[in-house]
Amino acid sequence: MAVVAWHRRIEWWFRGAALVAFLAYLSGHQASRSGGLVEVERWLNHPVLLLGAAAVMLMVSMLVQFEFRERWAQLGCAAILSPLIMVSVAIGAVTYFLGGDGRLMERKPDPGNPEHVLTITDMAFSIDPVYRVELLTGSGWTARHWNLGTWDDGDGFLRAEWSGSNRITVITRNEIREYPVKRDGRLGEPEVTPR
């Protein structure tokens, strides 16, 4: 009876850990939206790593339910489970360290407020660039990011710059977008002018 209780306890530990990994990913995904916390997104928005870990732990918790009394059953289970866990850990580590944070191209502080920084990041995994333009406000764990947009090579992105204090201009081949920046760092509605 003690063995059954021990198996049940291990089973719930794995399920609890899977739930923690899933909730951590949900926090990171929520922070990836416009207005989210920069550091929370950076640390927790890793779906392959966190959701994969949750799936593996859930599967292990289901295997713990079974009693493998025979030596061959124990060895067979270990032979199947060990490579699966090793591959999952390797994939998770690679995606975490080489993940989709992109390559920072430019970082431009607001001339009138150094707490507001305009960033241009190349998010592409290929030769053709994909530019993500964001406004970062605040610093440290309270820093937030506000998305101005994402443009690929076909959209004709040319540049993004401060056109004055609390005013951002994004220029593409076809249009000019001017975003007002409110005192709290939020973006106002853009004024769009065709070129």
Side-chain angles (χ1 to χ4, degrees):
M1 197 63 170
V3 173
V4 173
W6 176 248
H7 279 244
R8 180 69 79 192
R9 192 174 302 135
I10 292 173
E11 175 186 338
W12 283 107
W13 284 346
F14 275 111
R15 288 183 182 172
L19 180 63
V20 168
F22 179 72
L23 293 176
Y25 166 69
L26 284 182
S27 299
H29 179 68
Q30 182 68 26
S32 72
R33 297 180 179 184
S34 189
L37 294 169
V38 173
E39 290 298 318
V40 173
E41 178 193 14
R42 195 173 125 235
W43 285 96
L44 299 178
N45 190 24
H46 298 283
V48 173
L49 176 67
L50 292 172
L51 294 179
V56 167
M57 286 187 276
L58 196 59
M59 187 170 45
V60 169
S61 79
M62 287 188 257
L63 282 173
V64 169
Q65 293 179 47
F66 303 116
E67 281 190 55
F68 297 107
R69 292 180 188 261
E70 303 231 356
R71 180 83 126 175
W72 291 108
Q74 292 171 354
L75 290 174
C77 179
I80 292 171
L81 196 57
S82 296
L84 178 65
I85 291 172
M86 294 300 286
V87 168
S88 300
V89 167
I91 290 172
V94 166
T95 57
Y96 183 78
F97 291 112
L98 301 177
D101 291 338
R103 182 173 58 93
L104 183 65
M105 305 280 294
E106 293 184 61
R107 183 179 171 86
K108 304 174 184 179
D110 183 347
N113 186 351
E115 286 281 311
H116 297 171
V117 178
L118 179 65
T119 62
I120 303 168
T121 307
D122 182 6
M123 301 301 296
F125 290 110
S126 64
I127 296 172
D128 298 327
V130 176
Y131 299 105
R132 181 177 69 190
V133 181
E134 291 184 310
L135 170 65
L136 303 180
T137 59
S139 62
W141 283 96
T142 60
R144 294 188 177 275
H145 64 97
W146 306 92
N147 297 327
L148 281 84
T150 303
W151 292 269
D152 63 17
D153 199 35
D155 296 326
F157 176 81
L158 299 175
R159 67 182 180 273
E161 60 194 11
W162 291 99
S163 52
S165 183
N166 296 325
R167 193 148 194 87
I168 299 171
T169 303
V170 178
I171 302 171
T172 67
R173 245 190 333 257
N174 302 325
E175 64 185 15
I176 299 172
R177 292 176 171 251
E178 291 192 58
Y179 294 85
V181 180
K182 300 175 183 174
R183 286 181 184 234
D184 64 354
R186 295 176 191 263
L187 291 171
E189 288 298 315
E191 297 172 17
V192 181
T193 308
R195 284 186 75 190

